[in-house]
Amino acid sequence: MSKKEKNDAFEKGSDEPIEKDPTRIRINPDIGENISGIWSFIKETVSFKDGADVESTVKNIREGINFRGPNVWVLICSIVVASVGLNTNSTAVIIGAMLISPLMGPIRGIGLGVGTNDLSLIIDSLKNFGIAVGISLLTAWIYFLISPISELTAELEARTGPNLMDVFIAFFGGLAGIIAASRGDNSTVIPGVAIATALMPPLCTAGYGLAIGDFQYFFGASYLFLLNTLFICLSTIIVVRYLKFPLRKFLDPKVEKKVAWMSYVLLFLVVIPAVFLFYAKVQETVFKENAKSFANEVILSDESLRADLMYEYDGEDSHIEIFLRNKVVSDDVVETWKKQMKTYGLVPSSLTVIQGEDVEEKIASL
Protein backbone atom coordinates (compact mmCIF):
# COMPACT_ATOMS: atom_id res chain seq x y z
CA MET A 1 0.00 0.00 0.00
CA SER A 2 1.44 3.39 -1.07
CA LYS A 3 1.79 6.31 1.29
CA LYS A 4 -1.13 8.07 -0.39
CA GLU A 5 -3.33 4.97 -0.06
CA LYS A 6 -2.44 4.64 3.62
CA ASN A 7 -3.36 8.25 4.23
CA ASP A 8 -6.64 7.81 2.35
CA ALA A 9 -7.44 4.68 4.37
CA PHE A 10 -6.62 6.51 7.61
CA GLU A 11 -8.90 9.38 6.69
CA LYS A 12 -11.73 6.95 5.83
CA GLY A 13 -11.43 5.29 9.25
CA SER A 14 -9.78 2.05 8.11
CA ASP A 15 -8.22 0.06 10.93
CA GLU A 16 -5.55 -1.50 8.73
CA PRO A 17 -2.91 1.23 8.98
CA ILE A 18 -3.60 1.61 12.71
CA GLU A 19 -3.04 -2.12 13.31
CA LYS A 20 0.26 -2.01 11.38
CA ASP A 21 1.33 1.26 13.00
CA PRO A 22 0.20 1.42 16.68
CA THR A 23 1.55 4.96 17.01
CA ARG A 24 -1.23 6.25 14.77
CA ILE A 25 -4.58 6.62 16.55
CA ARG A 26 -7.81 7.54 14.85
CA ILE A 27 -9.76 10.11 16.89
CA ASN A 28 -13.51 9.97 16.66
CA PRO A 29 -14.77 13.54 16.14
CA ASP A 30 -18.27 12.69 17.41
CA ILE A 31 -18.36 14.12 20.99
CA GLY A 32 -21.63 12.34 21.81
CA GLU A 33 -20.21 8.92 20.94
CA ASN A 34 -17.06 9.64 22.95
CA ILE A 35 -19.06 10.60 26.06
CA SER A 36 -21.28 7.55 25.63
CA GLY A 37 -18.24 5.31 25.30
CA ILE A 38 -16.63 6.75 28.43
CA TRP A 39 -19.86 6.31 30.40
CA SER A 40 -20.19 2.69 29.20
CA PHE A 41 -16.59 2.03 30.22
CA ILE A 42 -17.19 3.49 33.71
CA LYS A 43 -20.37 1.42 34.18
CA GLU A 44 -18.59 -1.79 33.11
CA THR A 45 -15.71 -1.00 35.45
CA VAL A 46 -17.74 -0.36 38.62
CA SER A 47 -20.61 -2.79 38.03
CA PHE A 48 -20.58 -6.02 40.05
CA LYS A 49 -23.77 -7.56 38.66
CA ASP A 50 -21.94 -10.03 36.44
CA GLY A 51 -20.86 -13.17 38.26
CA ALA A 52 -23.19 -12.75 41.24
CA ASP A 53 -24.15 -16.16 42.66
CA VAL A 54 -27.61 -15.46 44.05
CA GLU A 55 -28.47 -19.00 45.17
CA SER A 56 -25.16 -19.52 46.94
CA THR A 57 -25.38 -16.10 48.60
CA VAL A 58 -28.87 -16.74 49.96
CA LYS A 59 -27.81 -20.19 51.17
CA ASN A 60 -24.72 -18.85 52.99
CA ILE A 61 -26.64 -16.04 54.67
CA ARG A 62 -29.40 -18.41 55.80
CA GLU A 63 -26.85 -20.83 57.24
CA GLY A 64 -25.25 -18.05 59.30
CA ILE A 65 -28.48 -16.86 60.91
CA ASN A 66 -29.31 -19.54 63.44
CA PHE A 67 -27.72 -19.46 66.87
CA ARG A 68 -27.79 -23.03 68.03
CA GLY A 69 -25.22 -25.23 69.75
CA PRO A 70 -21.71 -24.44 68.44
CA ASN A 71 -22.62 -20.92 67.26
CA VAL A 72 -23.75 -19.97 70.76
CA TRP A 73 -20.49 -21.15 72.33
CA VAL A 74 -18.39 -19.47 69.64
CA LEU A 75 -20.27 -16.24 70.39
CA ILE A 76 -19.73 -16.63 74.15
CA CYS A 77 -16.02 -17.27 73.63
CA SER A 78 -15.66 -14.24 71.34
CA ILE A 79 -17.44 -12.03 73.89
CA VAL A 80 -15.16 -13.21 76.70
CA VAL A 81 -12.06 -12.67 74.55
CA ALA A 82 -13.25 -9.18 73.51
CA SER A 83 -14.05 -8.31 77.14
CA VAL A 84 -10.57 -9.39 78.23
CA GLY A 85 -9.07 -7.25 75.46
CA LEU A 86 -11.11 -4.23 76.48
CA ASN A 87 -10.38 -4.84 80.15
CA THR A 88 -6.61 -5.07 79.59
CA ASN A 89 -6.51 -2.39 76.88
CA SER A 90 -5.18 -4.88 74.28
CA THR A 91 -6.07 -4.07 70.67
CA ALA A 92 -4.67 -7.38 69.38
CA VAL A 93 -6.97 -9.40 71.66
CA ILE A 94 -10.00 -7.34 70.59
CA ILE A 95 -9.21 -7.98 66.91
CA GLY A 96 -8.92 -11.70 67.64
CA ALA A 97 -12.37 -11.67 69.24
CA MET A 98 -13.92 -9.96 66.23
CA LEU A 99 -12.38 -12.50 63.88
CA ILE A 100 -14.22 -15.39 65.52
CA SER A 101 -17.52 -13.59 66.14
CA PRO A 102 -20.59 -15.01 64.30
CA LEU A 103 -22.75 -11.94 65.02
CA MET A 104 -22.82 -10.71 61.42
CA GLY A 105 -25.12 -13.55 60.30
CA PRO A 106 -28.50 -12.39 61.68
CA ILE A 107 -27.84 -8.77 60.66
CA ARG A 108 -27.28 -9.74 57.03
CA GLY A 109 -30.28 -12.04 57.30
CA ILE A 110 -32.49 -9.07 58.23
CA GLY A 111 -31.15 -7.11 55.24
CA LEU A 112 -31.71 -10.04 52.88
CA GLY A 113 -35.24 -10.57 54.19
CA VAL A 114 -36.20 -6.91 53.77
CA GLY A 115 -34.58 -6.79 50.33
CA THR A 116 -36.45 -9.86 49.04
CA ASN A 117 -39.81 -9.38 50.87
CA ASP A 118 -39.19 -12.58 52.84
CA LEU A 119 -41.10 -11.97 56.06
CA SER A 120 -40.34 -15.38 57.57
CA LEU A 121 -36.60 -14.76 57.07
CA ILE A 122 -36.91 -11.33 58.70
CA ILE A 123 -38.70 -12.78 61.73
CA ASP A 124 -36.19 -15.64 62.04
CA SER A 125 -33.26 -13.23 61.74
CA LEU A 126 -34.70 -10.80 64.31
CA LYS A 127 -35.32 -13.66 66.73
CA ASN A 128 -31.76 -14.95 66.42
CA PHE A 129 -30.38 -11.43 66.55
CA GLY A 130 -32.20 -10.87 69.84
CA ILE A 131 -30.84 -14.16 71.21
CA ALA A 132 -27.30 -13.24 70.15
CA VAL A 133 -27.48 -9.75 71.68
CA GLY A 134 -28.98 -11.14 74.92
CA ILE A 135 -26.27 -13.80 75.25
CA SER A 136 -23.57 -11.24 74.48
CA LEU A 137 -24.78 -8.73 77.08
CA LEU A 138 -25.21 -11.44 79.72
CA THR A 139 -21.74 -12.86 79.09
CA ALA A 140 -20.06 -9.43 79.18
CA TRP A 141 -22.01 -8.44 82.30
CA ILE A 142 -20.94 -11.60 84.16
CA TYR A 143 -17.32 -11.19 83.07
CA PHE A 144 -17.04 -7.57 84.24
CA LEU A 145 -18.83 -8.42 87.51
CA ILE A 146 -16.18 -10.99 88.43
CA SER A 147 -13.21 -9.25 86.82
CA PRO A 148 -10.76 -7.78 89.36
CA ILE A 149 -10.07 -4.89 86.96
CA SER A 150 -12.83 -2.29 86.92
CA GLU A 151 -10.84 0.65 85.55
CA LEU A 152 -12.18 2.43 82.45
CA THR A 153 -9.47 1.73 79.87
CA ALA A 154 -8.90 3.71 76.66
CA GLU A 155 -10.37 0.86 74.57
CA LEU A 156 -13.54 0.83 76.68
CA GLU A 157 -13.85 4.61 76.60
CA ALA A 158 -13.54 4.62 72.79
CA ARG A 159 -16.74 2.53 72.59
CA THR A 160 -18.91 4.59 74.92
CA GLY A 161 -20.37 6.64 72.05
CA PRO A 162 -20.27 6.85 68.26
CA ASN A 163 -18.70 9.46 66.02
CA LEU A 164 -19.20 10.25 62.35
CA MET A 165 -16.45 7.87 61.23
CA ASP A 166 -18.27 4.94 62.84
CA VAL A 167 -21.15 5.54 60.42
CA PHE A 168 -18.91 5.31 57.36
CA ILE A 169 -17.01 2.33 58.73
CA ALA A 170 -20.22 0.39 59.41
CA PHE A 171 -21.82 1.19 56.05
CA PHE A 172 -18.83 0.52 53.81
CA GLY A 173 -17.72 -2.44 55.90
CA GLY A 174 -21.17 -3.99 55.51
CA LEU A 175 -21.13 -3.10 51.80
CA ALA A 176 -17.81 -4.92 51.32
CA GLY A 177 -19.18 -7.93 53.18
CA ILE A 178 -22.35 -8.38 51.13
CA ILE A 179 -20.53 -7.74 47.82
CA ALA A 180 -17.98 -10.41 48.74
CA ALA A 181 -20.76 -12.77 49.84
CA SER A 182 -22.52 -12.30 46.48
CA ARG A 183 -19.37 -13.71 44.86
CA GLY A 184 -19.19 -16.64 47.25
CA ASP A 185 -16.02 -15.17 48.78
CA ASN A 186 -16.33 -15.50 52.53
CA SER A 187 -12.73 -16.42 53.25
CA THR A 188 -10.90 -13.08 53.49
CA VAL A 189 -13.29 -10.15 53.33
CA ILE A 190 -15.75 -11.18 56.04
CA PRO A 191 -13.10 -11.24 58.81
CA GLY A 192 -12.02 -7.80 57.63
CA VAL A 193 -15.60 -6.62 57.80
CA ALA A 194 -15.92 -8.03 61.32
CA ILE A 195 -12.90 -5.94 62.34
CA ALA A 196 -14.08 -2.80 60.54
CA THR A 197 -17.67 -2.75 61.77
CA ALA A 198 -16.62 -3.63 65.34
CA LEU A 199 -19.84 -5.19 66.52
CA MET A 200 -18.43 -7.00 69.52
CA PRO A 201 -16.64 -4.25 71.52
CA PRO A 202 -19.73 -2.01 71.83
CA LEU A 203 -21.73 -4.93 73.20
CA CYS A 204 -18.99 -5.73 75.68
CA THR A 205 -18.81 -2.07 76.71
CA ALA A 206 -22.58 -2.07 77.25
CA GLY A 207 -22.10 -5.09 79.53
CA TYR A 208 -19.36 -3.17 81.35
CA GLY A 209 -21.76 -0.26 81.89
CA LEU A 210 -24.33 -2.61 83.40
CA ALA A 211 -21.73 -4.29 85.63
CA ILE A 212 -20.51 -1.02 87.17
CA GLY A 213 -23.99 0.54 87.22
CA ASP A 214 -23.12 3.36 84.82
CA PHE A 215 -26.06 3.63 82.41
CA GLN A 216 -24.43 6.45 80.47
CA TYR A 217 -21.79 3.97 79.27
CA PHE A 218 -24.47 1.34 78.67
CA PHE A 219 -26.67 3.56 76.49
CA GLY A 220 -23.70 5.14 74.68
CA ALA A 221 -22.24 1.74 73.74
CA SER A 222 -25.70 0.41 72.81
CA TYR A 223 -26.20 3.44 70.57
CA LEU A 224 -22.90 2.68 68.80
CA PHE A 225 -23.91 -0.96 68.35
CA LEU A 226 -27.34 0.02 67.02
CA LEU A 227 -25.73 2.46 64.58
CA ASN A 228 -23.38 -0.20 63.22
CA THR A 229 -26.24 -2.70 62.96
CA LEU A 230 -28.52 -0.32 61.05
CA PHE A 231 -25.89 0.62 58.50
CA ILE A 232 -24.74 -2.97 57.92
CA CYS A 233 -28.38 -3.89 57.38
CA LEU A 234 -28.93 -0.90 55.07
CA SER A 235 -25.90 -1.74 52.92
CA THR A 236 -27.16 -5.33 52.60
CA ILE A 237 -30.60 -4.13 51.45
CA ILE A 238 -29.07 -1.81 48.84
CA VAL A 239 -26.88 -4.55 47.32
CA VAL A 240 -29.70 -7.12 47.36
CA ARG A 241 -31.99 -4.69 45.51
CA TYR A 242 -29.22 -3.66 43.10
CA LEU A 243 -28.44 -7.27 42.19
CA LYS A 244 -32.19 -7.91 41.80
CA PHE A 245 -32.41 -10.93 44.06
CA PRO A 246 -35.70 -12.74 43.35
CA LEU A 247 -38.54 -11.54 45.55
CA ARG A 248 -40.49 -14.03 47.64
CA LYS A 249 -43.63 -15.18 45.79
CA PHE A 250 -46.93 -16.34 47.32
CA LEU A 251 -49.82 -18.23 45.79
CA ASP A 252 -52.37 -15.90 47.32
CA PRO A 253 -52.04 -12.37 45.81
CA LYS A 254 -53.50 -10.84 48.97
CA VAL A 255 -50.85 -12.49 51.14
CA GLU A 256 -48.11 -11.40 48.72
CA LYS A 257 -49.36 -7.82 48.79
CA LYS A 258 -49.54 -7.86 52.59
CA VAL A 259 -46.00 -9.24 52.92
CA ALA A 260 -44.67 -6.67 50.42
CA TRP A 261 -46.33 -3.89 52.39
CA MET A 262 -44.84 -5.13 55.68
CA SER A 263 -41.39 -5.40 54.03
CA TYR A 264 -41.62 -1.78 52.92
CA VAL A 265 -42.58 -0.77 56.45
CA LEU A 266 -39.52 -2.60 57.81
CA LEU A 267 -37.37 -0.97 55.12
CA PHE A 268 -38.72 2.39 56.26
CA LEU A 269 -37.93 1.51 59.88
CA VAL A 270 -34.33 0.70 58.90
CA VAL A 271 -33.69 3.63 56.56
CA ILE A 272 -35.29 6.48 58.53
CA PRO A 273 -33.43 5.87 61.83
CA ALA A 274 -30.19 5.35 59.89
CA VAL A 275 -30.62 8.65 58.02
CA PHE A 276 -31.66 10.46 61.20
CA LEU A 277 -28.71 9.15 63.19
CA PHE A 278 -26.33 9.98 60.35
CA TYR A 279 -27.67 13.54 60.15
CA ALA A 280 -27.39 13.94 63.93
CA LYS A 281 -23.78 12.76 63.93
CA VAL A 282 -22.93 15.10 61.04
CA GLN A 283 -24.42 18.05 62.95
CA GLU A 284 -22.55 17.10 66.12
CA THR A 285 -19.26 16.69 64.26
CA VAL A 286 -19.67 20.03 62.49
CA PHE A 287 -20.46 21.74 65.82
CA LYS A 288 -17.35 20.30 67.48
CA GLU A 289 -15.09 21.29 64.59
CA ASN A 290 -16.55 24.82 64.52
CA ALA A 291 -16.15 25.13 68.29
CA LYS A 292 -12.48 24.14 68.06
CA SER A 293 -11.88 26.61 65.21
CA PHE A 294 -13.64 29.36 67.18
CA ALA A 295 -11.52 28.73 70.27
CA ASN A 296 -8.22 28.56 68.36
CA GLU A 297 -8.80 31.48 65.98
CA VAL A 298 -10.72 33.89 68.22
CA ILE A 299 -9.93 33.21 71.86
CA LEU A 300 -6.47 31.64 71.68
CA SER A 301 -5.30 34.10 69.02
CA ASP A 302 -3.98 36.00 72.02
CA GLU A 303 -0.79 34.01 72.65
CA SER A 304 -0.58 35.24 76.23
CA LEU A 305 -3.93 33.64 77.05
CA ARG A 306 -4.17 30.11 78.42
CA ALA A 307 -7.59 28.50 78.25
CA ASP A 308 -9.38 25.14 78.20
CA LEU A 309 -12.38 24.40 76.00
CA MET A 310 -15.41 22.28 76.86
CA TYR A 311 -18.49 21.88 74.70
CA GLU A 312 -21.73 19.96 74.79
CA TYR A 313 -23.83 19.38 71.68
CA ASP A 314 -27.60 19.37 72.17
CA GLY A 315 -29.07 20.87 69.00
CA GLU A 316 -30.10 24.49 69.55
CA ASP A 317 -29.27 24.16 73.26
CA SER A 318 -25.58 23.40 72.58
CA HIS A 319 -23.16 25.03 74.97
CA ILE A 320 -19.51 26.09 74.96
CA GLU A 321 -17.49 26.76 78.11
CA ILE A 322 -14.13 28.55 78.13
CA PHE A 323 -11.95 28.21 81.24
CA LEU A 324 -9.38 31.02 81.42
CA ARG A 325 -6.38 29.90 83.49
CA ASN A 326 -3.96 32.82 83.58
CA LYS A 327 -5.79 35.98 82.69
CA VAL A 328 -9.00 37.90 83.29
CA VAL A 329 -10.76 39.54 80.35
CA SER A 330 -13.35 42.30 80.42
CA ASP A 331 -17.05 41.91 79.71
CA ASP A 332 -16.55 43.81 76.45
CA VAL A 333 -14.10 41.17 75.23
CA VAL A 334 -16.53 38.39 76.15
CA GLU A 335 -19.31 40.16 74.24
CA THR A 336 -17.02 40.48 71.22
CA TRP A 337 -16.36 36.74 71.38
CA LYS A 338 -20.08 36.00 71.52
CA LYS A 339 -20.72 38.18 68.46
CA GLN A 340 -18.04 36.32 66.51
CA MET A 341 -19.71 32.96 67.17
CA LYS A 342 -22.11 33.65 64.31
CA THR A 343 -19.21 33.69 61.86
CA TYR A 344 -18.39 30.10 62.89
CA GLY A 345 -21.96 28.81 62.65
CA LEU A 346 -22.28 28.46 66.42
CA VAL A 347 -25.48 30.50 66.87
CA PRO A 348 -27.80 29.85 68.78
CA SER A 349 -25.26 28.01 70.96
CA SER A 350 -24.42 29.73 74.23
CA LEU A 351 -20.99 30.73 75.50
CA THR A 352 -19.86 30.84 79.12
CA VAL A 353 -16.47 32.23 80.11
CA ILE A 354 -15.24 31.05 83.51
CA GLN A 355 -12.37 33.11 84.92
CA GLY A 356 -10.83 34.11 88.22
CA GLU A 357 -11.28 37.39 90.01
CA ASP A 358 -9.28 40.33 88.66
CA VAL A 359 -6.93 40.75 91.66
CA GLU A 360 -5.28 43.98 90.47
CA GLU A 361 -8.67 45.67 89.99
CA LYS A 362 -9.75 44.49 93.43
CA ILE A 363 -6.62 45.95 95.08
CA ALA A 364 -7.07 49.26 93.23
CA SER A 365 -10.65 49.55 94.41
CA LEU A 366 -9.61 48.91 98.01
Side-chain angles (χ1 to χ4, degrees):
M1 183 181 287
S2 66
K3 184 175 181 180
K4 184 177 183 302
E5 290 174 335
K6 288 181 179 180
N7 289 336
D8 291 342
F10 181 76
E11 290 176 359
K12 292 178 181 177
S14 172
D15 292 333
E16 183 180 353
I18 296 176
E19 291 175 358
K20 293 182 179 179
D21 186 1
T23 63
R24 302 180 67 184
I25 302 173
R26 181 167 61 88
I27 299 175
N28 188 349
D30 191 331
I31 297 176
E33 285 188 18
N34 288 332
I35 294 175
S36 177
I38 293 172
W39 177 243
S40 298
F41 171 76
I42 292 173
K43 287 199 298 183
E44 290 176 2
T45 302
V46 301
S47 175
F48 53 89
K49 284 185 176 181
D50 295 336
D53 189 350
V54 175
E55 293 184 3
S56 178
T57 303
V58 173
K59 181 182 177 182
N60 289 335
I61 291 177
R62 285 182 175 275
E63 288 176 353
I65 290 173
N66 292 324
F67 274 87
R68 298 288 187 277
N71 272 357
V72 172
W73 286 103
V74 170
L75 178 64
I76 292 173
C77 291
S78 66
I79 285 290
V80 172
V81 172
S83 298
V84 171
L86 291 167
N87 209 191
T88 57
N89 211 35
S90 173
T91 304
V93 174
I94 297 169
I95 291 174
M98 289 185 281
L99 285 171
I100 62 177
S101 168
L103 196 58
M104 282 278 290
I107 299 174
R108 290 198 297 165
I110 296 170
L112 177 63
V114 174
T116 58
N117 293 347
D118 192 335
L119 189 60
S120 60
L121 178 60
I122 295 171
I123 294 172
D124 192 32
S125 299
L126 285 172
K127 180 178 68 176
N128 283 278
F129 177 70
I131 292 172
V133 171
I135 291 173
S136 300
L137 283 175
L138 179 63
T139 304
W141 176 65
I142 292 174
Y143 169 82
F144 284 109
L145 273 180
I146 63 178
S147 173
I149 306 173
S150 59
E151 179 186 357
L152 179 67
T153 63
E155 291 290 347
L156 278 168
E157 189 175 9
R159 274 81 180 191
T160 54
N163 57 50
L164 185 59
M165 292 301 104
D166 292 318
V167 175
F168 290 107
I169 290 171
F171 179 77
F172 288 102
L175 201 62
I178 188 61
I179 291 173
S182 70
R183 294 312 188 258
D185 181 10
N186 288 308
S187 58
T188 57
V189 178
I190 298 305
V193 171
I195 294 171
T197 53
L199 292 168
M200 305 303 291
L203 273 180
C204 296
T205 305
Y208 170 79
L210 287 176
I212 66 171
D214 192 324
F215 288 97
Q216 183 178 354
Y217 291 159
F218 170 74
F219 288 115
S222 299
Y223 177 33
L224 174 57
F225 176 74
L226 175 64
L227 198 67
N228 285 341
T229 301
L230 283 174
F231 276 90
I232 294 170
C233 189
L234 180 60
S235 62
T236 303
I237 295 169
I238 290 173
V239 172
V240 165
R241 292 282 180 166
Y242 172 74
L243 294 177
K244 297 181 179 179
F245 277 43
L247 301 179
R248 180 75 181 272
K249 299 294 182 181
F250 296 87
L251 296 176
D252 190 340
K254 291 183 179 180
V255 175
E256 184 172 350
K257 185 177 180 180
K258 184 178 180 181
V259 169
W261 180 82
M262 294 182 70
S263 297
Y264 282 117
V265 170
L266 288 171
L267 177 61
F268 178 83
L269 292 176
V270 170
V271 172
I272 295 303
V275 172
F276 175 77
L277 293 175
F278 176 74
Y279 176 77
K281 293 313 298 179
V282 168
Q283 294 295 102
E284 182 177 352
T285 303
V286 169
F287 169 78
K288 289 180 179 179
E289 293 300 320
N290 290 345
K292 290 177 183 177
S293 299
F294 169 74
N296 291 328
E297 297 173 13
V298 175
I299 297 173
L300 298 180
S301 59
D302 182 356
E303 295 182 357
S304 66
L305 194 64
R306 298 291 179 267
D308 295 320
L309 170 70
M310 289 187 65
Y311 44 79
E312 182 181 352
Y313 177 77
D314 188 17
E316 294 185 355
D317 297 325
S318 300
H319 185 67
I320 301 173
E321 287 187 352
I322 304 294
F323 296 86
L324 301 182
R325 292 188 277 121
N326 69 328
K327 196 173 182 180
V328 175
V329 299
S330 65
D331 293 339
D332 292 339
V333 173
V334 174
E335 286 301 318
T336 302
W337 289 348
K338 290 181 178 180
K339 289 177 181 178
Q340 289 180 287
M341 290 175 65
K342 187 175 182 181
T343 307
Y344 291 85
L346 295 172
V347 175
S349 304
S350 59
L351 174 66
T352 301
V353 177
I354 301 174
Q355 56 186 336
E357 186 180 18
D358 189 337
V359 178
E360 292 182 1
E361 184 179 336
K362 185 70 173 177
I363 294 174
S365 66
L366 292 173

